[in-house]
Amino acid sequence: ELYVTTRVDPLFFALSHFYRIVKKGDDQSDKLDKWQPWDQALTDLPLPILRALGLDPALNINGIKEVGQLAHLLDVSDMCGDDLLLCKFSEESALKWLVAKFNQALGALRTRQLQRKRRELERRKEMGVSGGAKSSSFNMAEDTDTKKQEEEKDEDMDRSKQGSEIVVTLSNAEEDFLRAGSLQ
């Protein structure tokens, strides 16, 4: 039995299985690169993975449509008729699937980070917190450049108040951090 406490796409387990076979470099790995009957290609795939993928553990299948998620890792063909499905491991298809998974994870992390920043800005706005603490008895010499920047910030704040949506962007460092995080 295989118990996992977090949601994981079962294709990662299947990909790991195929990768181990290919990495061995024996006769079985050579077979994965060639067309072979469906049941022979998946004979060594552990039963918990087959169940997680929603496949019959006996590998009985009725047509290409029942291949399911494994079509992301395998090229499947019924060139010999509906009763004999042939398949082979496709590194290109697996890579496309992994890139799509990466982009999906990156998008989810980016959305979460933007929502977090937006909530923080809204919280600061409600509390009336600006960039730092100010004292009414402390007076600094006025710098014209600083004053212009503060006026521009005030104008930006006024514009953002007019629109109901607070505009939030991520820095390059945050984007790099999210890319690294989506690989995990």
Side-chain angles (χ1 to χ4, degrees):
E1 290 292 318
L2 178 68
Y3 295 100
V4 180
T5 58
T6 58
R7 290 176 41 187
V8 177
D9 190 330
L11 273 184
F12 284 113
F13 297 115
L15 181 61
S16 172
H17 171 77
F18 292 135
Y19 178 73
R20 261 185 264 123
I21 291 173
V22 169
K23 193 174 179 181
K24 278 185 196 175
D26 59 5
D27 290 338
Q28 190 177 9
S29 68
D30 291 338
K31 289 180 184 176
L32 272 179
D33 294 335
K34 296 182 175 96
W35 291 102
Q36 58 183 317
W38 167 263
D39 54 342
Q40 289 178 15
L42 302 178
T43 300
D44 295 335
L45 199 60
L47 290 179
I49 296 172
L50 287 172
R51 286 190 193 110
L53 290 168
L55 297 173
D56 178 20
L59 297 173
N60 295 326
I61 194 164
N62 298 320
I64 291 180
K65 292 180 182 176
E66 291 187 17
V67 171
Q69 293 183 34
L70 278 177
H72 293 294
L73 304 179
L74 302 173
D75 287 335
V76 183
S77 174
D78 60 355
M79 62 182 133
C80 295
D82 289 339
D83 57 336
L84 179 62
L85 284 182
L86 301 175
C87 66
K88 68 177 182 174
F89 178 70
S90 173
E91 206 170 301
E92 183 180 324
S93 296
L95 188 57
K96 282 181 186 176
W97 174 75
L98 284 171
V99 167
K101 278 293 193 184
F102 170 79
N103 289 333
Q104 185 179 17
L106 181 62
L109 287 173
R110 184 179 289 126
T111 300
R112 184 183 305 162
Q113 184 67 16
L114 287 170
Q115 288 172 346
R116 188 176 293 145
K117 284 181 83 171
R118 186 174 292 120
R119 281 192 306 268
E120 181 64 24
L121 284 173
E122 287 173 354
R123 187 179 64 79
R124 283 184 180 181
K125 185 178 167 184
E126 287 175 3
M127 293 176 56
V129 175
S130 63
K134 294 181 182 177
S135 171
S136 61
S137 62
F138 183 73
N139 293 324
M140 288 181 59
E142 289 189 23
D143 183 14
T144 57
D145 290 337
T146 308
K147 194 168 187 171
K148 286 180 185 176
Q149 289 175 351
E150 286 179 13
E151 288 175 1
E152 289 173 2
K153 282 184 183 178
D154 290 341
E155 289 174 9
D156 289 343
M157 287 295 278
D158 289 339
R159 274 188 241 127
S160 68
K161 285 179 184 176
Q162 290 173 359
S164 61
E165 190 75 24
I166 294 177
V167 178
V168 180
T169 58
L170 297 177
S171 67
N172 289 340
E174 288 172 320
E175 281 287 336
D176 292 342
F177 180 75
L178 291 178
R179 282 188 186 91
S182 61
L183 287 173
Q184 296 177 356

